[in-house]
Amino acid sequence: MLRWNKLEIGWGFGALLALSLLAGAGEVLPLVLVSALCHELGHLAALRLAGARVERIRLTAFGAEIRADTRRLSYPKEIACTLAGPAVNLLLALFFARWAVNYAAAGANLLLGCFNLLPIPALDGGRALHLLFSWLFDPLAADRVCRKVGLGCALLLTGAALLLTVRYHAGLFLLLGAAGTLIPQLPAVPHLNARKKIVRSR
């Protein structure tokens, strides 16, 4: 693992890039990486504005992970920080599609933004759903609901990606991402800490 200040780059991240290239994503990979960088900058900007201290940024085989001390943030503020990454991607998708007329960049940002909004624990959508249920009910109830919703969604996503790969010889890049959402949930989804939280993205 490589470390520089608060940034950690795991060997799995390099393996992920290599697998993406083998899956035929060489042409779109630079766009996806730039879109992912903008995504993470959206999280970091929101956390900074909210007054949360960023402890570590880690790049792993399952994507990027920002660990921040959010114990002093209210649930609405933390939900906003969690959704800031996908929001940046969706705004960039609109900008590239409507004004810059770069449909490849628009598609990369749209795909990344929508993918991260899925209600899967490892993604921003799942994290936001957990925070919302914790706010409205309690963290234990949020754990139960989000575990079932997340596992079901990850299974459907992986099944759809596998079908595309086997039947149409396409979707291998999507299959890698889908597997990345499913594997951490097997054999069980770990309980999310209600007061020391991690904002995650892919």
Side-chain angles (χ1 to χ4, degrees):
M1 178 177 291
L2 302 176
R3 290 185 176 87
W4 183 74
N5 201 1
K6 294 182 179 181
L7 177 64
E8 295 182 358
I9 303 177
W11 301 116
F13 181 72
L16 176 64
L17 294 180
L19 284 174
S20 299
L21 291 173
L22 290 174
E27 294 183 1
V28 300
L29 188 58
L31 285 175
V32 172
L33 290 176
V34 172
S35 300
L37 175 62
C38 294
H39 180 103
E40 300 306 326
L41 290 175
H43 283 309
L44 291 172
L47 288 167
R48 185 177 180 84
L49 287 173
R53 183 172 64 88
V54 174
E55 299 174 345
R56 186 178 62 204
I57 304 170
R58 177 185 290 176
L59 303 180
T60 71
F62 297 108
E65 173 188 298
I66 297 175
R67 182 179 292 274
D69 186 352
T70 59
R71 288 175 294 182
R72 297 184 180 180
L73 296 187
S74 64
Y75 279 115
K77 284 186 177 181
E78 191 167 359
I79 291 172
C81 291
T82 302
L83 297 178
V88 167
N89 288 132
L90 295 179
L91 288 173
L92 286 174
L94 178 62
F95 170 78
F96 283 119
R98 188 162 185 177
W99 290 288
V101 196
N102 186 331
Y103 296 114
N109 278 282
L110 181 63
L111 179 62
L112 188 63
C114 291
F115 181 75
N116 273 279
L117 287 175
L118 292 174
I120 296 173
L123 302 178
D124 296 326
R127 183 66 203 152
L129 183 65
H130 188 276
L131 289 167
L132 179 63
F133 272 80
S134 296
W135 182 27
L136 296 178
F137 303 104
D138 63 77
L140 291 179
D143 279 348
R144 290 192 297 269
V145 172
C146 292
R147 187 183 305 118
K148 294 177 181 178
V149 171
L151 183 57
C153 187
L155 285 170
L156 286 174
L157 182 64
T158 304
L162 185 60
L163 178 64
L164 286 173
T165 302
V166 173
R167 187 168 183 178
Y168 300 105
H169 305 288
L172 185 56
F173 190 54
L174 176 61
L175 181 59
L176 289 174
T181 67
L182 180 61
I183 291 172
Q185 301 187 73
L186 301 176
V189 180
H191 286 271
L192 298 175
N193 191 309
R195 303 315 300 166
K196 184 77 169 183
K197 306 179 180 72
I198 298 176
V199 178
R200 297 179 184 269
S201 59
R202 293 211 191 295

